[in-house]
Amino acid sequence: MFKAKVFLLQLAKKMWPKVTLFALLAVLSAFLAIWLRDRIPDDFAYSVDSETISSILNILASSMLAVTTFSLTVMVQAYSSATTTVTPRATQLVVEDHTAHNVLATFLGTFVFSLMGIIALNAGIYQAKGRIVLFVMTILVVILILIMLIRWIEHLTKIGRVAETTRQVQAAAEKAFKQRACSPCLGCNRLDIDREDVNHLEGVYGEEYGYVQFVDIDAITKLAKERQCDVFIMAVPGKYVYPQLPLLRLGDALPERTRKSLAAAFTIADERAFEQDPRFGLCVLAEIAQRSLPPSIADSGTALDVLGRITSVLAVYADAKDDEVVSERVWVPALEVEDLFTDAFNSISREAAGMFEVQAKLHKCLYSLAQIGDPEFRKCAERFSRLAIIRTDNHPTLMEWEKRELRALAL
């Protein structure tokens, strides 16, 4: 079931299923024409001739092909812009943009619909009464095209821009953190990965190199319950794995077939994914800020914007609740707050060591996170504030009064 969900999730990110729906709509209109031809009044049916429908379909086919080609050119430019001005990691979200997919699928699907309608019309599939069905379908498609064109024109003003791409990354990160905040250990027992009594246990290994994108906790829970065996998951989403690194460890020896089933619960790919990997969103946000800081770019405004967004994302996880343990025989490491702060602030603090305004915003963001009330958050905020001060104190371009101001802001 989980594999099916992952497959549908990946399928929803592709364009061809939506184009296929439009092709099926053209086929459906042909079947409706045959089914309804005896139910349509003669006077009403003959009010629409084949020349009218054929002209509309020809206009749609020619114009949609041109619009689709233009839109694809715009999309390629947006991908290139996101790669060079934002970060290649954020391009994944631009490529998967649902609005762009829906619009392009509508344009290309309309072309397919028109083409199939012209073929069916010239082949004589639509009789006098059947043509009215094709005409109604065509009018509905025209209305849909008008709606999509308006959405597309509005979307073109934002797609590929730094602010819009950063917003998409923030939304993806917040979604992942909200899910993890509700279940920090994915409904399992909390595992300390440094436990000596676990690290010597027998491991289950995969056969691929890459990042863990998804873990099917339900499948692992079911196998652990059936075999009455404790399972310790070592590779959580976002971790880079290889055949010599255990995906999980077992409290008891299990048959080879069961071990393969457990390994199959891990989806491994060349790239990290945002859905089950909250840290990936933080890393991408930090990289956007980091790429804006070199002297050749000097876009401190982007770094200031990203720091605010990172603070909002981390605040979501500060409200994390204790897991209601559903999988009693499965153990999963929770997200470490120190790792989150490292992902979020370390590279920005390093690259912006000589930029007073960015350092000031960094200390203010750390102060706000320290006030949340979580002791671990306060401890990490104080640590990274001290680290930032060490970097600014040793930076030659900052003036003494700027260093004093930053020390006053530090925790």
Side-chain angles (χ1 to χ4, degrees):
M1 190 66 181
F2 182 81
K3 292 290 184 182
K5 290 180 181 178
V6 173
F7 173 76
L8 291 175
L9 179 65
Q10 300 299 327
L11 195 64
K13 298 176 182 178
K14 301 184 183 298
M15 195 184 306
W16 66 264
K18 299 167 186 176
V19 177
T20 304
L21 288 176
F22 274 88
L24 291 175
L25 181 63
V27 176
L28 176 64
S29 65
F31 281 108
L32 281 175
I34 296 172
W35 182 57
L36 295 174
R37 60 188 176 190
D38 296 329
R39 295 173 173 81
I40 298 175
D42 292 338
D43 295 340
F44 187 59
Y46 285 98
S47 62
V48 179
D49 57 26
S50 60
E51 291 292 333
T52 302
I53 302 176
S54 181
S55 298
I56 297 173
L57 290 175
N58 275 300
I59 293 170
L60 283 177
S62 58
S63 60
M64 284 304 104
L65 185 59
V67 170
T68 301
T69 303
F70 165 75
S71 300
L72 287 173
T73 303
V74 172
M75 288 301 298
V76 170
Q77 292 175 347
Y79 300 158
S80 176
S81 174
T83 300
T84 55
T85 62
V86 188
T87 168
R89 262 57 61 190
T91 309
Q92 176 182 337
L93 291 176
V94 180
V95 171
E96 296 169 359
D97 185 89
H98 291 297
T99 301
H101 276 204
N102 291 336
V103 169
L104 289 175
T106 302
F107 292 163
L108 188 56
T110 301
F111 170 74
V112 175
F113 170 83
S114 304
L115 203 59
M116 295 184 69
I118 292 170
I119 293 172
L121 198 62
N122 292 333
I125 295 177
Y126 294 103
Q127 300 301 320
K129 293 183 178 181
R131 286 197 297 268
I132 190 64
V133 177
L134 178 61
F135 180 74
V136 172
M137 287 285 192
T138 303
I139 294 301
L140 291 176
V141 169
V142 169
I143 294 172
L144 180 61
I145 283 293
L146 291 174
I147 295 172
M148 287 300 178
L149 275 173
I150 295 171
R151 291 186 63 191
W152 187 227
I153 292 170
E154 181 182 358
H155 196 63
L156 284 177
T157 62
K158 301 181 291 183
I159 189 168
R161 295 183 179 274
V162 175
E164 174 64 14
T165 307
T166 307
R167 185 199 62 78
Q168 289 178 312
V169 176
Q170 180 190 2
E174 283 187 347
K175 182 179 179 181
F177 269 108
K178 285 177 182 177
Q179 292 176 348
R180 186 60 70 89
C182 295
S183 184
C185 296
L186 305 178
C188 306
N189 298 292
R190 183 178 180 127
L191 171 63
D192 181 0
I193 57 175
D194 294 326
R195 279 178 53 177
E196 295 182 1
D197 61 330
V198 171
N199 292 330
H200 74 278
L201 295 176
E202 182 181 10
V204 173
Y205 300 84
E207 299 178 352
E208 300 174 84
Y209 291 83
Y211 293 96
V212 176
Q213 287 190 337
F214 302 98
V215 180
D216 188 353
I217 295 294
D218 292 338
I220 294 174
T221 300
K222 182 179 178 181
L223 288 169
K225 188 175 181 180
E226 287 176 355
R227 295 290 179 174
Q228 293 295 301
C229 173
D230 289 334
V231 176
F232 303 90
I233 295 177
M234 310 301 292
V236 293
K239 188 176 182 65
Y240 184 80
V241 296
Y242 44 90
Q244 294 77 28
L245 188 73
L247 299 174
L248 44 83
R249 294 190 182 275
L250 305 173
D252 299 292
L254 293 178
E256 183 64 23
R257 183 176 179 181
T258 304
R259 293 162 60 87
K260 288 184 177 180
S261 297
L262 287 169
F266 292 79
T267 302
I268 300 172
D270 295 334
E271 298 178 340
R272 297 171 72 175
F274 288 93
E275 285 78 12
Q276 280 193 358
D277 183 7
R279 290 182 61 183
F280 184 46
L282 278 182
C283 291
V284 175
L285 283 172
E287 188 175 347
I288 294 172
Q290 183 183 353
R291 287 169 65 93
S292 70
L293 293 173
S296 59
I297 300 175
D299 181 13
S300 59
T302 295
L304 297 175
D305 176 59
V306 169
L307 281 170
R309 294 178 186 275
I310 286 175
T311 305
S312 299
V313 171
L314 285 174
V316 171
Y317 192 67
D319 297 328
K321 303 175 177 61
D322 292 334
D323 267 311
E324 179 183 349
V325 179
V326 178
S327 308
E328 296 183 354
R329 306 216 66 154
V330 182
W331 303 72
V332 175
L335 294 175
E336 296 292 338
V337 175
E338 185 170 350
D339 291 339
L340 301 182
F341 273 71
T342 301
D343 293 336
F345 299 116
N346 190 55
S347 61
I348 301 175
S349 174
R350 182 184 64 247
E351 297 299 326
M355 302 181 72
F356 171 77
E357 63 277 13
V358 178
Q359 289 292 334
K361 180 64 177 286
L362 173 63
H363 287 294
K364 291 176 182 177
C365 290
L366 290 171
Y367 177 80
S368 66
L369 291 172
Q371 302 307 306
I372 288 177
D374 187 293
E376 194 67 25
F377 266 67
R378 181 166 189 85
K379 177 183 174 182
C380 291
E382 290 175 349
R383 177 177 177 271
F384 277 87
S385 182
R386 290 194 300 269
L387 179 63
I389 288 298
I390 293 172
R391 284 172 169 157
T392 53
D393 279 348
N394 293 320
H395 203 281
T397 62
L398 287 176
M399 300 182 70
E400 282 302 320
W401 71 267
E402 291 176 320
K403 294 178 181 180
R404 287 196 300 270
E405 289 283 341
L406 292 175
R407 290 192 206 103
L409 291 172
L411 294 173

